Amino acid sequence: MKWPIRTLSILGLIGALIVGYHWASCPRTPEALFKARCSACHELRTERLCEFPATQRPTIVDTMRRLHEAAEVIDEEEAVIIRRYLEESLVCH
Ligand code: HEC
């Protein structure tokens, strides 16, 4: 079957939109990942996190995953990125 060129361009355009939308909605920086994943169940608790010494903040990610079912929202790869972000880059006021 031969597809008319117009149909093909429209399909191509829709495909590009879907890929573009997916690309734009994926958190790409560690901060964006933290904000997206750690606000899935409760508000972002930056103030509470800042009460912990930086070296202990990464363990909170593990606690969330082990005790509060956050492993369903945050996979191991993402957990590594968020742990490092909380320890090294979290900005506390
Ligand atoms: C799957 C749901 C879920 C996700 C995702 C999640 N949490 Fe939680 N979190 C909970 C639950 C449940 C509690 C305990 C009840 C409460 O305090 O609301 C909690 C409590 C907390 C507390 C309070 C602990 C305390 O001692 O006061 C902090 C801080 C926290 N979460 C940080 C995080 C961070 C950081 C992330 C991202 C790595 C995260 N949470 C992701 C469910 C989640």
Side-chain angles (χ1 to χ4, degrees):
M1 171 162 51
K2 199 168 178 296
W3 292 85
I5 191 75
R6 190 130 66 108
T7 310
L8 286 178
S9 357
I10 290 170
L11 285 176
L13 194 65
I14 293 170
L17 280 175
I18 292 173
V19 171
Y21 178 77
H22 183 75
W23 192 83
S25 64
C26 270
R28 252 176 314 281
T29 65
E31 184 184 10
L33 192 64
F34 159 65
K35 287 186 173 163
R37 296 295 180 268
C38 299
S39 62
C41 304
H42 44 64
E43 72 290 0
L44 258 194
R45 298 192 172 161
T46 313
E47 279 166 32
R48 181 80 183 106
L49 291 169
C50 284
E51 289 169 18
F52 293 90
T55 52
Q56 280 179 27
R57 285 177 210 145
T59 62
I60 295 161
V61 181
D62 304 323
T63 308
M64 288 303 128
R65 294 180 79 232
R66 262 193 240 115
L67 305 181
H68 297 309
E69 269 120 55
E72 296 187 7
V73 187
I74 306 166
D75 66 27
E76 183 52 41
E77 214 177 304
E78 295 172 337
V80 169
I81 299 170
I82 297 174
R83 272 192 227 117
R84 188 178 310 142
Y85 169 77
L86 292 182
E87 179 165 3
E88 297 172 5
S89 317
L90 184 68
V91 179
C92 295
H93 298 286

